[in-house]
Short mmCIF file of all heavy atoms in Angstrom, two decimals:
data_model
loop_
_atom_site.label_atom_id
_atom_site.label_comp_id
_atom_site.label_asym_id
_atom_site.label_seq_id
_atom_site.Cartn_x
_atom_site.Cartn_y
_atom_site.Cartn_z
N TYR H 119 -7.07 -1.64 -3.93
CA TYR H 119 -8.39 -2.26 -3.98
C TYR H 119 -9.12 -2.14 -2.65
O TYR H 119 -8.50 -2.22 -1.59
CB TYR H 119 -8.25 -3.76 -4.30
CG TYR H 119 -7.86 -4.03 -5.72
CD1 TYR H 119 -6.53 -4.21 -6.08
CD2 TYR H 119 -8.82 -4.10 -6.72
CE1 TYR H 119 -6.17 -4.45 -7.39
CE2 TYR H 119 -8.46 -4.35 -8.04
CZ TYR H 119 -7.14 -4.53 -8.36
OH TYR H 119 -6.79 -4.76 -9.67
N GLU H 120 -10.43 -1.99 -2.74
CA GLU H 120 -11.28 -2.18 -1.56
C GLU H 120 -11.56 -3.67 -1.50
O GLU H 120 -11.87 -4.30 -2.51
CB GLU H 120 -12.61 -1.45 -1.71
CG GLU H 120 -12.53 0.01 -1.40
CD GLU H 120 -13.91 0.63 -1.40
OE1 GLU H 120 -14.42 0.91 -2.50
OE2 GLU H 120 -14.46 0.83 -0.30
N VAL H 121 -11.44 -4.22 -0.31
CA VAL H 121 -11.68 -5.65 -0.13
C VAL H 121 -12.64 -5.86 1.03
O VAL H 121 -12.75 -5.01 1.92
CB VAL H 121 -10.37 -6.44 0.10
CG1 VAL H 121 -9.43 -6.29 -1.09
CG2 VAL H 121 -9.68 -6.03 1.38
N ALA H 122 -13.32 -6.99 1.00
CA ALA H 122 -14.22 -7.37 2.08
C ALA H 122 -13.65 -8.62 2.76
O ALA H 122 -13.19 -9.54 2.07
CB ALA H 122 -15.62 -7.66 1.54
N VAL H 123 -13.70 -8.64 4.07
CA VAL H 123 -13.18 -9.78 4.82
C VAL H 123 -14.18 -10.93 4.73
O VAL H 123 -15.36 -10.78 5.02
CB VAL H 123 -12.92 -9.41 6.29
CG1 VAL H 123 -12.48 -10.62 7.09
CG2 VAL H 123 -11.87 -8.30 6.38
N LYS H 124 -13.68 -12.10 4.31
CA LYS H 124 -14.49 -13.32 4.24
C LYS H 124 -14.21 -14.25 5.42
O LYS H 124 -15.04 -15.06 5.78
CB LYS H 124 -14.22 -14.07 2.94
CG LYS H 124 -14.73 -13.37 1.71
CD LYS H 124 -14.33 -14.03 0.41
CE LYS H 124 -14.42 -15.53 0.42
NZ LYS H 124 -14.07 -16.14 -0.88
N GLY H 125 -13.01 -14.13 6.00
CA GLY H 125 -12.65 -15.01 7.10
C GLY H 125 -11.32 -14.62 7.71
O GLY H 125 -10.57 -13.82 7.17
N GLY H 126 -11.08 -15.20 8.88
CA GLY H 126 -9.82 -14.95 9.58
C GLY H 126 -9.96 -13.84 10.60
O GLY H 126 -10.97 -13.16 10.69
N GLU H 127 -8.91 -13.69 11.38
CA GLU H 127 -8.83 -12.62 12.38
C GLU H 127 -7.53 -11.87 12.13
O GLU H 127 -6.47 -12.50 11.97
CB GLU H 127 -8.85 -13.21 13.79
CG GLU H 127 -8.89 -12.17 14.87
CD GLU H 127 -9.06 -12.79 16.25
OE1 GLU H 127 -9.79 -13.79 16.37
OE2 GLU H 127 -8.45 -12.26 17.18
N ALA H 128 -7.59 -10.56 12.10
CA ALA H 128 -6.40 -9.77 11.79
C ALA H 128 -5.31 -10.02 12.82
O ALA H 128 -5.53 -9.84 14.02
CB ALA H 128 -6.76 -8.29 11.74
N GLN H 129 -4.17 -10.45 12.33
CA GLN H 129 -3.00 -10.62 13.18
C GLN H 129 -1.75 -10.46 12.33
O GLN H 129 -1.77 -10.71 11.14
CB GLN H 129 -3.01 -11.95 13.92
CG GLN H 129 -2.95 -13.17 13.02
CD GLN H 129 -3.02 -14.47 13.82
OE1 GLN H 129 -3.78 -14.58 14.78
NE2 GLN H 129 -2.25 -15.45 13.43
N ASN H 130 -0.69 -10.04 12.96
CA ASN H 130 0.57 -9.81 12.28
C ASN H 130 1.24 -11.15 11.98
O ASN H 130 1.70 -11.83 12.89
CB ASN H 130 1.48 -8.93 13.15
CG ASN H 130 2.77 -8.55 12.45
OD1 ASN H 130 3.07 -9.03 11.37
ND2 ASN H 130 3.52 -7.68 13.08
N MET H 131 1.31 -11.49 10.70
CA MET H 131 1.93 -12.74 10.29
C MET H 131 3.41 -12.55 9.93
O MET H 131 4.09 -13.51 9.62
CB MET H 131 1.18 -13.32 9.09
CG MET H 131 -0.30 -13.57 9.34
SD MET H 131 -0.61 -14.69 10.72
CE MET H 131 -0.06 -16.23 10.01
N GLU H 132 3.89 -11.32 9.97
CA GLU H 132 5.27 -11.03 9.59
C GLU H 132 5.99 -10.21 10.66
O GLU H 132 6.75 -9.30 10.36
CB GLU H 132 5.30 -10.30 8.24
CG GLU H 132 4.74 -11.13 7.11
CD GLU H 132 4.92 -10.48 5.75
OE1 GLU H 132 5.65 -9.46 5.64
OE2 GLU H 132 4.33 -10.99 4.79
N SER H 133 5.75 -10.56 11.93
CA SER H 133 6.33 -9.78 13.03
C SER H 133 7.86 -9.84 13.05
O SER H 133 8.51 -8.93 13.55
CB SER H 133 5.78 -10.25 14.38
OG SER H 133 6.08 -11.62 14.58
N GLU H 134 8.43 -10.87 12.47
CA GLU H 134 9.89 -10.97 12.39
C GLU H 134 10.41 -10.43 11.06
O GLU H 134 11.60 -10.51 10.79
CB GLU H 134 10.33 -12.44 12.55
CG GLU H 134 9.91 -13.07 13.86
CD GLU H 134 10.52 -12.38 15.07
OE1 GLU H 134 11.71 -12.01 15.01
OE2 GLU H 134 9.80 -12.19 16.06
N GLY H 135 9.50 -9.88 10.26
CA GLY H 135 9.90 -9.42 8.93
C GLY H 135 9.42 -8.02 8.62
O GLY H 135 9.83 -7.05 9.25
N ALA H 136 8.51 -7.93 7.68
CA ALA H 136 8.13 -6.64 7.10
C ALA H 136 7.20 -5.79 7.96
O ALA H 136 7.07 -4.60 7.74
CB ALA H 136 7.48 -6.87 5.73
N ILE H 137 6.52 -6.40 8.94
CA ILE H 137 5.51 -5.67 9.71
C ILE H 137 5.83 -5.67 11.20
O ILE H 137 5.96 -6.72 11.82
CB ILE H 137 4.11 -6.29 9.48
CG1 ILE H 137 3.75 -6.22 8.00
CG2 ILE H 137 3.06 -5.59 10.34
CD1 ILE H 137 2.47 -6.96 7.65
N ALA H 138 5.95 -4.46 11.76
CA ALA H 138 6.23 -4.33 13.19
C ALA H 138 4.96 -4.44 14.03
O ALA H 138 4.98 -4.93 15.15
CB ALA H 138 6.93 -3.00 13.48
N ASP H 139 3.82 -3.96 13.47
CA ASP H 139 2.58 -3.93 14.24
C ASP H 139 1.42 -3.76 13.26
O ASP H 139 1.63 -3.42 12.10
CB ASP H 139 2.61 -2.76 15.23
CG ASP H 139 1.58 -2.87 16.34
OD1 ASP H 139 0.89 -3.92 16.43
OD2 ASP H 139 1.46 -1.91 17.12
N LEU H 140 0.23 -3.97 13.73
CA LEU H 140 -0.98 -3.64 12.97
C LEU H 140 -2.01 -3.09 13.92
O LEU H 140 -2.00 -3.38 15.11
CB LEU H 140 -1.52 -4.84 12.17
CG LEU H 140 -2.01 -6.08 12.90
CD1 LEU H 140 -3.42 -5.91 13.44
CD2 LEU H 140 -2.01 -7.23 11.91
N LYS H 141 -2.88 -2.24 13.37
CA LYS H 141 -3.88 -1.59 14.21
C LYS H 141 -5.03 -1.09 13.35
O LYS H 141 -4.84 -0.69 12.21
CB LYS H 141 -3.23 -0.40 14.94
CG LYS H 141 -4.15 0.28 15.94
CD LYS H 141 -3.40 1.35 16.72
CE LYS H 141 -4.39 2.05 17.65
NZ LYS H 141 -3.77 3.14 18.38
N TRP H 142 -6.22 -1.11 13.92
CA TRP H 142 -7.41 -0.53 13.29
C TRP H 142 -7.48 0.94 13.69
O TRP H 142 -7.38 1.26 14.87
CB TRP H 142 -8.68 -1.25 13.75
CG TRP H 142 -8.77 -2.68 13.29
CD1 TRP H 142 -8.45 -3.79 14.01
CD2 TRP H 142 -9.22 -3.14 12.01
NE1 TRP H 142 -8.67 -4.91 13.26
CE2 TRP H 142 -9.15 -4.54 12.03
CE3 TRP H 142 -9.68 -2.49 10.86
CZ2 TRP H 142 -9.52 -5.33 10.94
CZ3 TRP H 142 -10.05 -3.28 9.77
CH2 TRP H 142 -9.96 -4.67 9.82
N TYR H 143 -7.64 1.81 12.72
CA TYR H 143 -7.72 3.26 12.96
C TYR H 143 -9.02 3.83 12.41
O TYR H 143 -9.43 3.49 11.30
CB TYR H 143 -6.58 4.00 12.24
CG TYR H 143 -5.26 3.92 12.93
CD1 TYR H 143 -4.33 2.96 12.57
CD2 TYR H 143 -4.92 4.83 13.93
CE1 TYR H 143 -3.09 2.91 13.18
CE2 TYR H 143 -3.68 4.78 14.56
CZ TYR H 143 -2.79 3.81 14.18
OH TYR H 143 -1.55 3.75 14.79
N SER H 144 -9.62 4.73 13.19
CA SER H 144 -10.74 5.51 12.69
C SER H 144 -10.20 6.45 11.62
O SER H 144 -9.09 6.96 11.74
CB SER H 144 -11.35 6.31 13.84
OG SER H 144 -12.27 7.24 13.35
N LEU H 145 -10.97 6.69 10.58
CA LEU H 145 -10.52 7.56 9.50
C LEU H 145 -10.32 9.01 9.95
O LEU H 145 -9.63 9.77 9.29
CB LEU H 145 -11.49 7.51 8.32
CG LEU H 145 -11.46 6.20 7.52
CD1 LEU H 145 -12.57 6.18 6.49
CD2 LEU H 145 -10.11 6.00 6.86
N ASP H 146 -10.90 9.37 11.09
CA ASP H 146 -10.69 10.73 11.59
C ASP H 146 -9.62 10.79 12.69
O ASP H 146 -9.41 11.84 13.28
CB ASP H 146 -12.00 11.36 12.06
CG ASP H 146 -12.66 10.60 13.21
OD1 ASP H 146 -12.14 9.54 13.62
OD2 ASP H 146 -13.70 11.08 13.69
N GLN H 147 -8.94 9.67 12.93
CA GLN H 147 -7.86 9.64 13.92
C GLN H 147 -6.68 8.82 13.41
O GLN H 147 -6.18 7.94 14.10
CB GLN H 147 -8.36 9.09 15.25
CG GLN H 147 -9.40 9.97 15.91
CD GLN H 147 -9.85 9.41 17.24
OE1 GLN H 147 -9.76 8.22 17.49
NE2 GLN H 147 -10.34 10.28 18.08
N LEU H 148 -6.24 9.14 12.20
CA LEU H 148 -5.15 8.39 11.57
C LEU H 148 -3.80 8.86 12.10
O LEU H 148 -3.65 10.01 12.52
CB LEU H 148 -5.19 8.60 10.05
CG LEU H 148 -6.42 8.01 9.36
CD1 LEU H 148 -6.53 8.53 7.94
CD2 LEU H 148 -6.38 6.49 9.38
N PRO H 149 -2.80 7.98 12.09
CA PRO H 149 -1.46 8.41 12.50
C PRO H 149 -0.90 9.42 11.50
O PRO H 149 -1.29 9.42 10.33
CB PRO H 149 -0.66 7.11 12.49
CG PRO H 149 -1.38 6.22 11.53
CD PRO H 149 -2.83 6.59 11.64
N VAL H 150 0.01 10.25 11.96
CA VAL H 150 0.59 11.27 11.07
C VAL H 150 1.63 10.66 10.13
O VAL H 150 1.87 11.18 9.05
CB VAL H 150 1.21 12.44 11.85
CG1 VAL H 150 0.15 13.22 12.58
CG2 VAL H 150 2.29 11.96 12.80
N ASN H 151 2.25 9.57 10.53
CA ASN H 151 3.30 8.95 9.73
C ASN H 151 2.72 7.87 8.80
O ASN H 151 2.95 6.68 8.97
CB ASN H 151 4.41 8.39 10.62
CG ASN H 151 3.91 7.39 11.65
OD1 ASN H 151 2.78 7.49 12.14
ND2 ASN H 151 4.75 6.44 12.00
N LEU H 152 1.98 8.34 7.80
CA LEU H 152 1.40 7.44 6.81
C LEU H 152 2.35 7.24 5.64
O LEU H 152 2.96 8.19 5.15
CB LEU H 152 0.08 8.01 6.27
CG LEU H 152 -1.12 7.97 7.20
CD1 LEU H 152 -2.28 8.76 6.59
CD2 LEU H 152 -1.54 6.54 7.50
N ALA H 153 2.46 6.02 5.18
CA ALA H 153 3.26 5.72 4.00
C ALA H 153 2.64 6.39 2.79
O ALA H 153 1.41 6.42 2.64
CB ALA H 153 3.33 4.21 3.78
N CYS H 154 3.48 6.94 1.92
CA CYS H 154 2.96 7.70 0.78
C CYS H 154 2.06 6.86 -0.12
O CYS H 154 1.11 7.37 -0.70
CB CYS H 154 4.10 8.34 -0.01
SG CYS H 154 5.27 7.21 -0.72
N PHE H 155 2.29 5.58 -0.19
CA PHE H 155 1.48 4.66 -0.98
C PHE H 155 0.04 4.57 -0.46
O PHE H 155 -0.88 4.31 -1.22
CB PHE H 155 2.22 3.32 -0.93
CG PHE H 155 1.43 2.06 -0.99
CD1 PHE H 155 1.00 1.56 -2.19
CD2 PHE H 155 1.17 1.33 0.16
CE1 PHE H 155 0.31 0.36 -2.26
CE2 PHE H 155 0.49 0.14 0.11
CZ PHE H 155 0.05 -0.35 -1.12
N SER H 156 -0.16 4.84 0.82
CA SER H 156 -1.49 4.74 1.44
C SER H 156 -2.31 6.01 1.34
O SER H 156 -3.54 5.97 1.43
CB SER H 156 -1.33 4.38 2.92
OG SER H 156 -0.63 3.18 3.06
#
Side-chain angles (χ1 to χ4, degrees):
Y119 288 95
E120 279 187 281
V121 299
V123 176
K124 291 174 42 177
E127 185 173 324
Q129 63 183 40
N130 185 353
M131 302 302 289
E132 297 187 10
S133 60
E134 300 298 319
I137 300 173
D139 197 6
L140 63 80
K141 185 174 177 183
W142 293 98
Y143 281 96
S144 170
L145 288 173
D146 61 357
Q147 295 181 337
L148 294 167
V150 294
N151 56 329
L152 287 172
C154 61
F155 149 82
S156 302

